[in-house]
Amino acid sequence: MAIVYCLSCSLYAQNKPGSPAYKFDKNGISKTVLENYLEKSITMVYFLSPDIPEAKRIYPYADDDVRMVKNIGAKFLGRAIYRWGGESRLNDAEFLNTASKRIKMMHEYDPDMVFQACLFEIITTDVEKVPVPEWVFRDFGLPVENRTFSYKDMLNDNGKMVNHWRENSSVPDISKLESKLWFYFLAGTYINIGCEAFHIGQVELIGMNDPDRSHWTSIIAKMRDYAAKHARRNWVIIDAHVPFGGLVKDGVSLLDFNSFPLRIKDIPEQPYRGKLEVNYLDGIYLKSKGCITPSGWKCEHLPYLVEFDNFGKGSENNVPTLNSPFIWGWDEISWLSLQPEDYRNEFIRYAYHWLKETDPDGHLEMPGCRMITCPNESSGSYRANTRSDACPIGYSQEETIKALWNKTPIRIGIDGLSHDHIQGLLRDMAKRTDIQLVGIAESDKELVERLAKQFGFDRSIVYDNLTEMVEKTKPQGVLAFNSIYAHLNTVEVCAPRGIHVMVEKPLAVNPKHAQRMKQLATANKIHLLTNYETSWYPTHYKAFEIAVEQASIGHVNKVLVNDGHKGPVEIGCSKEFLAWLTDPVLNGGGAVVDFGCYGANLMTWLMKNQRPLSVTAVLQTIKPNVYPKVDDQATIILTYPDVQAILQGSWNWPVDRKDMEIYGQDGYVKAFNASDLEFRPNRNKPIERQKITEFPFETRDPYIYFAKIIQGDIELKPTDLASLENNLIVVDILDAAKQSAKLGKTIRLSGK
């Protein structure tokens, strides 16, 4: 048997630099990866330019910033380099070289780290000292000129936003060609030093003369074109402050994510305290627009960041300033810096959890380092660093941020309660920290009541249908414990919303359903997993190691897989489970589906997704008085070019069985159950019997596995047991088996 195996194709890959949790490329960034970055985002102004910070500020503790960033596990460093005026510093080779060296230094520690540059809503006359590079002219198809950027040519023709900041300091008008050249120059310059993200500031100000977004569309497209050729991973992650919930053109977002200030509301009766509130001022909570993202996936609400913004101080300080963006008379980061240390930490925890509960599409960008405008003794900047000799002006939020960034539970919904396998999950739910059950879709009130009494879940999280449940509870993943026929509906509801799905085996009742599910999962870039009990048997992986990796039994030529029990009625399955398990439409068959799928899944795994040449099956109903509609005994023979497999699924075994035998030219290995294994390398060697307890991967828990797939900590390979690719073949095998039994002949499978 020609089976090739490599560790990189394993069920679980350790999370390490370059891991799937933070993988993006020229094709874009998935929602999961994007949210992984947003979950570990922190504002770190001056990080890449410690020797030349903004205005007259000094930046003497750069080494401690490096230590802090490593300690807390930051992945997305916001505002790490920018110019707010003083544009001629971009002529200084040392300014850019220092930034490039610091990026390379940090990437040696963590190559997944992303550094964000800012392309702000400001130009000053200092731009006239910055030469326009030849590549900017060429990329715009313009004649190359020997000149600098023109300040006046970036200004609005009607004087709008001219001198908006101060004399000779204005907002550039993006409809002006010179402004596009400037933004493109900034983007290319920052990409060239290793930045992979841009914050493009207040896009509505810059877009003062761009009501249809056409100018923003063109310049952002050019930035992305430059990134595709020159960026480190051929993609750039772009956001902006969006007071109206997004920057969308014809249903497509120009931004990868949205961002906005926190908009903290004063609590007048509690001096100097604040809170967050939906619909306060122009806050973004629950208002981030739905769209098709630049990466192609759809969402009802684009993920967004909120940050402790800096924008000066109000006319009065330390007094309530309701209906003003100032909190107690200060901008947000200045207000935070003025609070006692305990309350600073308390508010960060509060904001983080409030956002999780109120709007799961939102993420809190932690305050790391930022300019403040209030009285201070910290060189004009707030710094989250733990106060120490290495950073005596730290405000000491570092450990709070680090604690919050430990993995938070994945929000999980359940579709259906009729599958009896749900009971194990419900039994342990109260003890779980890896997943949080946020909603259940089940219309059978009697069933809900019975299980709620038995397992103690909150009835208030139960909804009559899946659509209502996912709309109200916003799960990140849904577990399907309904009929096999209903799996398609689960995916039809979840996939367009970007919700990952894991179904109980098998994937679908027929190839038509399976292909539609594949289409939905692929188009919406969700994970679609199939869970089998036998995927978690240590003996199967040991048998695989012996027979395939080590080839210790010679060339493999036959595999036998036996699965089943006395029958679902006989072992006491619930009436709700039996109602569809013994229905030829809702389950797709009887024992052939219920237990034939195990062998088809394992054999496809062993063959690394090679499709069998033929399928021959015999289906019988041994107990027609118990199972009048479906088979209860199934034998399936699969043939490959040099391998034969016999799969026996039955509701007639005298004892429970889930065992596998692999025979080679010289010897054999048998996995009797999850822990008992027998191995004989050849006829001259004695039989070895082993108790296998060691599992080769981090978890044997399917729900932890699902959560880690969603988080991006595990990369699901096409040949993995739970993969969509494997289970599409399983459905084809089962369908061919039913055809074979019905027609009384061997079915040849195509090589699709």
Side-chain angles (χ1 to χ4, degrees):
M1 176 173 65
I3 303 179
V4 180
Y5 179 79
C6 64
L7 289 176
S8 64
C9 299
S10 64
L11 179 69
Y12 177 76
Q14 291 289 335
N15 188 12
K16 58 187 179 181
S19 74
Y22 300 98
K23 180 181 178 181
F24 61 92
D25 56 28
K26 64 181 180 181
N27 297 313
I29 185 167
S30 70
K31 184 179 182 182
T32 296
V33 171
L34 175 63
E35 291 187 324
N36 287 343
Y37 274 112
L38 300 186
E39 272 299 290
K40 292 197 172 183
S41 61
I42 185 168
T43 305
M44 291 299 299
V45 301
Y46 325 140
F47 188 87
L48 297 179
S49 56
D51 301 326
I52 314 175
E54 186 178 343
K56 297 179 181 179
R57 285 166 174 79
I58 61 173
Y59 191 81
Y61 306 110
D63 289 344
D64 198 61
D65 284 353
V66 171
R67 178 205 58 77
M68 179 183 73
V69 165
K70 292 179 179 180
N71 177 49
I72 63 178
K75 291 291 186 179
F76 188 95
L77 275 65
R79 300 178 182 243
I81 188 170
Y82 62 86
R83 300 311 304 149
W84 184 272
E87 295 90 349
S88 63
R89 286 217 169 129
L90 293 165
N91 295 331
D92 183 353
E94 190 57 30
F95 175 75
L96 296 174
N97 288 340
T98 296
S100 179
K101 289 175 184 177
R102 287 178 72 79
I103 289 175
K104 290 177 182 176
M105 173 188 70
M106 296 306 294
H107 281 161
E108 288 177 3
Y109 172 76
D110 181 359
D112 294 321
M113 203 173 286
V114 163
F115 295 88
Q116 182 192 64
C118 296
L119 286 55
F120 274 133
E121 62 278 6
I122 183 173
I123 49 165
T124 71
T125 51
D126 203 42
V127 299
E128 296 182 342
K129 300 176 184 177
V130 181
V132 184
E134 290 184 10
W135 56 267
V136 172
F137 287 119
R138 285 197 304 268
D139 289 358
F140 274 75
L142 298 172
V144 174
E145 302 177 46
N146 183 18
R147 69 172 179 86
T148 61
F149 285 98
S150 170
Y151 171 75
K152 67 179 180 62
D153 286 345
M154 298 188 209
L155 303 181
N156 179 263
D157 291 338
N158 298 316
K160 196 172 184 180
M161 298 288 175
V162 174
N163 297 326
H164 177 77
W165 305 111
R166 60 185 181 275
E167 186 71 21
N168 295 321
S169 179
S170 305
V171 176
D173 180 345
I174 200 62
S175 70
K176 303 294 293 232
L177 175 61
E178 192 75 359
S179 296
K180 293 186 180 72
L181 297 179
W182 173 248
F183 273 81
Y184 187 70
F185 161 71
L186 290 177
T189 299
Y190 292 135
I191 284 172
N192 291 344
I193 64 170
C195 292
E196 297 180 281
F198 297 147
H199 173 71
I200 55 176
Q202 298 191 53
V203 288
E204 298 297 346
L205 297 187
I206 307 168
M208 65 188 86
N209 194 34
D210 187 28
D212 67 351
R213 315 296 199 195
S214 59
H215 293 287
W216 271 126
T217 299
S218 67
I219 184 57
I220 290 176
K222 290 195 76 69
M223 292 178 191
R224 293 196 186 278
D225 287 344
Y226 191 92
K229 297 173 184 175
H230 304 288
R232 184 167 170 263
R233 284 181 274 187
N234 307 108
W235 188 263
V236 64
I237 306 167
I238 301 176
D239 79 290
H241 275 189
V242 287
F244 305 118
L247 189 65
V248 179
K249 170 76 168 171
D250 299 328
V252 178
S253 175
L254 305 182
L255 308 176
D256 295 275
F257 67 94
N258 293 324
S259 59
F260 211 62
L262 274 162
R263 291 293 188 251
I264 307 168
K265 184 177 183 179
D266 314 64
I267 307 177
E269 62 274 19
Q270 299 180 39
Y272 311 118
R273 298 297 173 98
K275 66 179 180 179
L276 302 177
E277 187 176 283
V278 175
N279 294 324
Y280 178 62
L281 301 178
D282 55 353
I284 195 173
Y285 311 114
L286 301 178
K287 297 176 184 175
S288 185
K289 289 182 178 178
C291 58
I292 299 171
T293 68
S295 298
W297 44 271
K298 299 177 183 177
C299 59
E300 294 189 10
H301 301 282
L302 188 66
Y304 65 88
L305 280 182
V306 283
E307 58 180 340
F308 290 88
D309 203 0
N310 65 287
F311 41 83
K313 58 184 179 179
S315 57
E316 292 185 275
N317 307 127
N318 302 318
V319 296
T321 49
L322 291 171
N323 301 315
S324 161
F326 297 103
I327 166 75
W328 290 92
W330 303 100
D331 64 31
E332 295 163 351
I333 191 64
S334 298
W335 168 81
L336 182 73
S337 74
L338 289 169
Q339 305 309 308
E341 181 179 325
D342 286 350
Y343 185 61
R344 288 197 299 270
N345 289 317
E346 178 186 332
F347 188 84
I348 287 174
R349 286 191 291 266
Y350 154 75
Y352 180 86
H353 291 300
W354 182 90
L355 199 54
K356 294 286 182 192
E357 295 170 6
T358 304
D359 189 354
D361 295 303
H363 304 265
L364 178 65
E365 184 168 27
M366 294 298 179
C369 178
R370 194 144 191 180
M371 180 180 73
I372 54 178
T373 55
C374 59
N376 65 89
E377 297 178 356
S378 54
S379 302
S381 295
Y382 163 89
R383 315 168 74 90
N385 310 50
T386 298
R387 186 174 298 137
S388 67
D389 290 342
C391 185
I393 60 172
Y395 283 75
S396 297
Q397 275 63 71
E398 177 180 340
E399 291 304 315
T400 296
I401 295 169
K402 182 179 179 180
L404 288 170
W405 279 357
N406 287 336
K407 287 294 186 188
T408 54
I410 291 293
R411 296 168 61 85
I412 291 294
I414 291 173
D415 188 14
L417 295 173
S418 61
H419 197 309
D420 284 356
H421 288 185
I422 187 66
Q423 297 182 20
L425 175 61
L426 294 177
R427 186 179 300 112
D428 298 335
M429 201 64 238
K431 301 181 292 184
R432 303 191 77 103
T433 59
D434 50 300
I435 60 175
Q436 176 190 2
L437 180 58
V438 297
I440 298 171
E442 178 55 67
S443 60
D444 187 330
K445 305 298 185 185
E446 179 186 338
L447 176 60
V448 169
E449 190 63 25
R450 186 173 79 244
L451 294 182
K453 286 182 179 179
Q454 184 176 355
F455 299 109
F457 59 80
D458 186 352
R459 294 168 179 81
S460 69
I461 67 170
V462 181
Y463 298 84
D464 286 339
N465 62 76
L466 180 60
T467 300
E468 183 184 12
M469 187 270 281
V470 299
E471 290 288 346
K472 294 287 182 61
T473 66
K474 307 293 185 185
Q476 294 165 273
V478 163
L479 301 168
F481 287 96
N482 45 15
S483 72
I484 312 305
Y485 190 90
H487 287 176
L488 174 57
N489 181 71
T490 304
V491 177
E492 286 179 329
V493 172
C494 292
R497 294 171 170 84
I499 301 170
H500 306 284
V501 175
M502 183 164 75
V503 303
E504 288 298 292
K505 56 79 188 170
L507 173 68
V509 292
N510 58 48
K512 183 179 179 181
H513 275 213
Q515 289 299 320
R516 175 59 178 155
M517 292 162 72
K518 173 191 174 184
Q519 180 186 32
L520 287 163
T522 302
N524 293 283
K525 298 185 179 180
I526 68 159
H527 293 295
L528 175 53
L529 283 67
T530 305
N531 182 42
Y532 296 78
E533 176 189 338
T534 48
S535 296
W536 316 106
Y537 279 20
T539 48
H540 286 166
Y541 295 95
K542 186 65 175 179
F544 191 95
E545 176 188 319
I546 290 169
V548 179
E549 288 188 83
Q550 299 173 351
S552 298
I553 60 174
H555 176 76
V556 173
N557 52 46
K558 178 165 280 193
V559 179
L560 279 68
V561 186
N562 304 304
D563 294 283
H565 47 49
K566 292 177 69 69
V569 172
E570 289 82 351
I571 66 171
C573 290
S574 69
K575 63 179 182 180
E576 293 85 3
F577 192 16
L578 290 171
W580 61 262
L581 184 62
T582 60
D583 186 288
V585 174
L586 298 180
N587 194 51
V592 65
V593 172
D594 190 27
F595 285 116
C597 65
Y598 285 99
N601 175 241
L602 288 167
M603 195 62 198
T604 301
W605 175 57
L606 290 172
M607 297 299 296
K608 201 177 179 184
N609 292 1
Q610 182 179 347
R611 293 166 62 83
L613 299 175
S614 69
V615 179
T616 308
V618 176
L619 308 183
Q620 291 178 272
T621 303
I622 306 299
K623 296 176 286 191
N625 57 321
V626 182
Y627 305 108
K629 298 179 181 179
V630 293
D631 64 280
D632 59 18
Q633 189 101 302
T635 301
I636 305 169
I637 301 173
L638 309 180
T639 65
Y640 300 84
D642 53 1
V643 190
Q644 184 184 97
I646 301 174
L647 319 177
Q648 298 187 106
S650 177
W651 290 346
N652 290 288
W653 296 114
V655 294
D656 294 354
R657 295 191 69 173
K658 284 191 177 72
D659 54 80
M660 177 173 67
E661 305 172 19
I662 305 175
Y663 294 90
Q665 186 175 350
D666 302 319
Y668 67 84
V669 59
K670 299 180 181 181
F672 293 109
N673 46 45
S675 58
D676 296 305
L677 184 133
E678 181 177 298
F679 167 44
R680 189 173 186 182
N682 58 62
R683 63 188 301 172
N684 299 317
K685 295 287 182 69
I687 294 172
E688 299 178 27
R689 293 186 175 91
Q690 304 174 21
K691 281 283 186 182
I692 308 299
T693 57
E694 184 177 349
F695 199 65
F697 314 118
E698 183 180 290
T699 181
R700 288 183 61 189
D701 185 310
Y703 312 114
I704 294 177
Y705 177 69
F706 185 44
K708 286 183 175 292
I709 291 286
I710 293 173
Q711 289 167 330
D713 291 338
I714 294 176
E715 183 174 6
L716 185 65
K717 300 293 185 181
T719 51
D720 288 344
L721 286 163
S723 73
L724 179 58
E725 292 84 354
N726 175 300
N727 285 282
L728 288 168
I729 297 173
V730 171
V731 174
D732 285 347
I733 290 172
L734 298 180
D735 186 67
K738 289 182 282 186
Q739 290 183 51
S740 173
K742 181 179 180 180
L743 300 174
K745 67 177 185 179
T746 295
I747 302 297
R748 302 249 168 220
L749 289 191
S750 66
K752 63 180 178 180

